[in-house]
Structures are given as structure tokens and as C-alpha cells.
Amino acid sequence: MANVKEYSVEEKLSSLVSLQKIDSKLDEIQVLKGELPMEVSDLEDEIQGLHARQLRIEEEINGITEFIEQKKTAIKDALELEKKYEKQSENVKNNREFEAINKEIEMQQLEVKLCEKHIRDANEEIAEKAVALEKAKKAISSKEGVLNSKKGELEKIIATTEKEETHFNKLADSAKKHVDPRLHTSYDKIRNNYRNGLAVVPVERDACGGCFYSIPPQKQSEIKQRKKIMVCENCGRILVDSDLNDTVEVK
Ligand SMILES: [Zn+2]
């Protein structure tokens, strides 16, 4: 086992402050990175959904176009039949036959009209779908623009934070060596309890810098003496005087 140097309370406190400041820097980096990857993946999901929508609309348009082609063929068939019946009507033998053929001709004319109406309706439907398709395509291109800029931003952050992160992680490792394990464990526990990750806070304007609970003058002077580790009775954070807090700089 290595020699364990006995540190004074003041030294312990200043090591804790420096560890806190380093960890806060690392927290800031995490916050910066933490939101962009989520935004990027949300955008990717949205774009994927829009592409699926685009594909669906295109398939619907294809389906309607096919329907129109079928109706066009049906019109052609009906017109041919009509022609055939008209030819037949030239050689009818009696009135009954003539009427029967006329009925067939009317049927074919009706069929043509019906098909034409179906085609008109289908064309209207296609026009509506085309508007929706255009909308989806525009949304895709605008979201893709946002995605690209967010991706670029994230890459830049990663490129710069990688260096910072390595740097602060190194500092954190060496700062940890100056904090005894028990103190470090409670420091970690307190840090994990709070979203802002603050376990060591200065007394500011007669109050705890973490929860703003007021600190009585007697306790404040004890804190200033740096002879004991003092904690806020409200939030449990380790308290240091603001002078000590200010002397510790982390770069
Ligand atoms: Zn507090």
C-alpha cells in the first residue's frame, strides 16, 4: 500500500472544491453533448417517418393511375361493342331484335359515361394526393437541412469536447488522489442526489450555495475556520467559505 499522507481539513476541503469544479466542467460537457445526439436521432426518426409517408402516397397515386388505365380500357371496349352493335342493327330482322340491340348500345354508352366519371373523380383524387406528396417532400428536405446542421454541430462539439474531456478527466483523476476515499464516497453520494451535480458549495450571502437555506453566523465562522467538514443541515451538501471556493481555479 502506498503511503497515505494525512491531509489537513483545509487541504481536504480545497481538494474537494477542485474536484467539484472539475466534475462540474465534465457535467457541462455532458449536457452539451447529451441533448444534440437525442435531437439528431429524433430528426432521423421523423425523416424516416416522412419517407414512409412519401412512399405510401406514391403507391396510392400509382394505384389510382392504374385504376384510370383500367377505366380507359373499359371505355375502349365499350366503344368497340357499341360500334359492333350499330353494325348489327343495320341487319336486324324485326323490331324486337332492333330494340334489343338498341338496349345494348345504350348500355355501352352508359358504361362509357360511368367510366368517364370514375376517371374524373380519380384525377381529382390524384391532384389531392399530389399536394400531400409535395408537402411530405418539402418537409423531408427542410428536416434534412436541420439534421445536417445539427449533425455538424454535434461533430464540432465532439471534436472540441474530446480534448477538454480528456483534459478534465486527467485533472479529476489527480484531484481524486487528494481526497480520502470515505470523503470521496460521500461526495459522490451527494452529487448523485442532485441534478446539478453539486456536492460542495460555498456559503453565499449567508446561505447555502446549493439550496439557499440560511446559515447562522456561528456556523459560518466555523466554516471559515476550516477545521471541520461542515454540511448544510437542509440539503446535506458540503459547505466551504467563499474565499476558499474562489481561490480554487480549474482550467
Ligand atoms: Zn443546502
Side-chain angles (χ1 to χ4, degrees):
M1 216 180 145
N3 280 337
V4 179
K5 189 186 173 241
E6 209 27 71
Y7 292 107
S8 70
V9 172
E10 185 169 356
E11 282 170 318
K12 285 180 186 174
L13 286 171
S14 90
S15 302
L16 274 178
V17 171
S18 114
L19 184 58
Q20 174 67 74
K21 290 191 174 182
I22 295 161
D23 279 337
S24 292
K25 293 269 186 201
L26 288 166
D27 288 345
E28 278 172 36
I29 294 171
Q30 286 315 313
V31 168
L32 266 180
K33 278 203 299 191
E35 303 199 349
L36 273 172
M38 211 163 61
E39 285 174 8
V40 165
S41 92
D42 281 353
L43 275 166
E44 282 169 341
D45 285 350
E46 270 183 79
I47 291 169
Q48 207 184 0
L50 283 164
H51 273 300
R53 186 173 157 68
Q54 179 185 346
L55 193 71
R56 204 174 55 237
I57 300 170
E58 283 168 347
E59 279 169 358
E60 283 166 353
I61 290 176
N62 285 342
I64 303 169
T65 309
E66 216 173 282
F67 173 81
I68 291 175
E69 287 311 312
Q70 284 166 6
K71 292 295 154 188
K72 281 182 181 166
T73 310
I75 289 176
K76 230 168 85 186
D77 291 348
L79 288 175
E80 264 167 33
L81 273 176
E82 193 188 335
K83 238 187 241 165
K84 195 184 98 185
Y85 290 131
E86 262 162 10
K87 224 172 208 159
Q88 276 181 19
S89 72
E90 286 163 18
N91 308 310
V92 285
K93 296 182 183 79
N94 54 47
N95 234 5
R96 224 179 54 198
E97 217 177 298
F98 181 77
E99 262 169 35
I101 284 176
N102 254 355
K103 200 146 216 162
E104 286 298 338
I105 290 171
E106 268 171 34
M107 287 269 285
Q108 296 316 314
Q109 287 169 341
L110 217 68
E111 171 70 8
V112 170
K113 274 192 185 139
L114 199 64
C115 285
E116 281 171 349
K117 180 176 172 1
H118 281 153
I119 290 172
R120 274 198 307 275
D121 290 348
N123 275 326
E124 268 173 37
E125 220 179 310
I126 285 180
E128 276 169 29
K129 303 265 176 211
V131 172
L133 183 62
E134 219 28 60
K135 248 189 206 168
K137 279 182 179 172
K138 262 187 195 155
I140 288 170
S141 84
S142 96
K143 297 263 176 204
E144 270 172 351
V146 179
L147 176 65
N148 284 339
S149 84
K150 296 257 178 207
K151 265 188 173 167
E153 230 177 289
L154 181 60
E155 273 158 26
K156 256 190 234 158
I157 288 175
I158 288 172
T160 54
T161 55
E162 251 172 8
K163 264 192 239 154
E164 273 186 52
E165 228 181 323
T166 319
H167 168 69
F168 286 121
N169 274 325
K170 258 190 214 154
L171 287 186
D173 283 345
S174 75
K176 275 173 205 164
K177 287 185 190 136
H178 296 275
V179 177
D180 71 57
R182 264 215 335 228
L183 202 53
H184 191 252
T185 306
S186 31
Y187 165 85
D188 274 343
K189 245 188 223 164
I190 307 169
R191 234 172 86 73
N192 289 333
N193 276 342
Y194 296 105
R195 268 224 284 187
N196 61 11
L198 290 179
V200 183
V201 291
V203 176
E204 280 168 339
R205 291 190 210 98
D206 303 324
C208 162
C211 71
F212 312 111
Y213 188 78
S214 94
I215 311 290
Q218 172 59 33
K219 190 163 180 171
Q220 283 189 50
S221 69
E222 266 183 87
I223 291 165
K224 274 188 194 136
Q225 283 167 20
R226 306 168 188 169
K227 298 279 181 232
K228 248 173 35 181
I229 307 274
M230 306 284 287
V231 297
C232 168
E233 61 178 276
N234 183 52
C235 69
R237 289 182 173 100
I238 297 160
L239 293 166
V240 295
D241 59 276
S242 57
D243 285 342
L244 178 71
N245 191 63
D246 292 345
T247 52
V248 177
E249 252 187 283
V250 165
K251 270 189 222 159

